[in-house]
Protein backbone atom coordinates (compact mmCIF):
# COMPACT_ATOMS: atom_id res chain seq x y z
CA UNK A 1 0.00 0.00 0.00
CA UNK A 2 0.98 3.63 -0.24
CA UNK A 3 1.40 3.68 3.54
CA UNK A 4 4.09 1.01 3.17
CA UNK A 5 5.89 3.18 0.63
CA UNK A 6 4.78 1.09 -2.34
CA UNK A 7 2.81 2.53 -5.21
CA UNK A 8 1.67 -0.75 -6.82
CA UNK A 9 -1.82 -0.85 -5.30
CA UNK A 10 -2.34 2.86 -5.91
CA UNK A 11 -1.20 2.49 -9.52
CA UNK A 12 -3.60 -0.42 -10.11
CA UNK A 13 -6.50 1.80 -9.06
CA UNK A 14 -5.48 5.11 -10.62
CA UNK A 15 -3.34 3.85 -13.52
CA UNK A 16 -1.10 6.85 -12.85
CA UNK A 17 2.22 5.76 -11.34
CA UNK A 18 3.63 9.29 -11.39
CA UNK A 19 0.72 10.62 -9.31
CA UNK A 20 1.07 7.73 -6.86
CA UNK A 21 4.77 8.44 -6.46
CA UNK A 22 4.01 12.12 -5.90
CA UNK A 23 1.43 11.26 -3.24
CA UNK A 24 4.01 8.98 -1.57
CA UNK A 25 6.46 11.90 -1.36
CA UNK A 26 3.86 14.19 0.22
CA UNK A 27 2.91 11.47 2.69
CA UNK A 28 6.59 11.03 3.60
CA UNK A 29 6.88 14.78 4.17
CA UNK A 30 3.91 14.72 6.55
CA UNK A 31 5.28 11.70 8.42
CA UNK A 32 8.70 13.31 8.87
CA UNK A 33 7.07 16.50 10.12
CA UNK A 34 4.90 14.53 12.54
CA UNK A 35 7.89 12.69 13.94
CA UNK A 36 9.90 15.89 14.26
CA UNK A 37 6.97 17.65 15.91
CA UNK A 38 6.12 15.03 18.49
CA UNK A 39 9.37 13.18 19.10
CA UNK A 40 11.77 16.12 18.86
CA UNK A 41 9.34 18.76 20.11
CA UNK A 42 10.07 20.81 16.99
CA UNK A 43 7.69 23.77 16.96
CA UNK A 44 8.49 24.52 13.32
CA UNK A 45 7.24 21.04 12.40
CA UNK A 46 4.09 21.57 14.48
CA UNK A 47 3.47 24.83 12.65
CA UNK A 48 3.96 23.05 9.31
CA UNK A 49 1.44 20.36 10.25
CA UNK A 50 -1.17 22.84 11.44
CA UNK A 51 -0.86 25.03 8.36
CA UNK A 52 -2.00 24.55 4.77
CA UNK A 53 1.62 24.43 3.57
CA UNK A 54 1.37 20.79 2.43
CA UNK A 55 -1.76 21.46 0.40
CA UNK A 56 -0.32 24.64 -1.08
CA UNK A 57 3.05 23.08 -1.91
CA UNK A 58 1.41 20.07 -3.55
CA UNK A 59 -0.81 22.30 -5.70
CA UNK A 60 -3.86 20.45 -4.44
CA UNK A 61 -2.51 16.91 -4.95
CA UNK A 62 -3.21 16.25 -1.28
CA UNK A 63 -6.13 17.14 0.91
CA UNK A 64 -5.36 17.97 4.54
CA UNK A 65 -7.83 17.59 7.40
CA UNK A 66 -7.44 17.73 11.14
CA UNK A 67 -9.63 17.00 14.09
Amino acid sequence: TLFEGEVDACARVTRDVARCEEMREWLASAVRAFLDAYLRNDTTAVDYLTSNDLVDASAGVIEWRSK
Side-chain angles (χ1 to χ4, degrees), residues 27-46:
L27 179 60
S29 175
V31 168
R32 284 189 300 271
F34 178 85
L35 294 173
D36 284 347
Y38 297 104
L39 296 180
R40 294 183 177 169
N41 296 315
D42 183 339
T43 57
T44 302
V46 173

Side-chain angles (χ1 to χ4, degrees), residues 45-61:
V46 173
D47 293 344
Y48 178 66
L49 291 170
T50 58
S51 72
N52 282 326
D53 289 351
L54 274 169
V55 176
D56 296 342
S58 74
V61 169

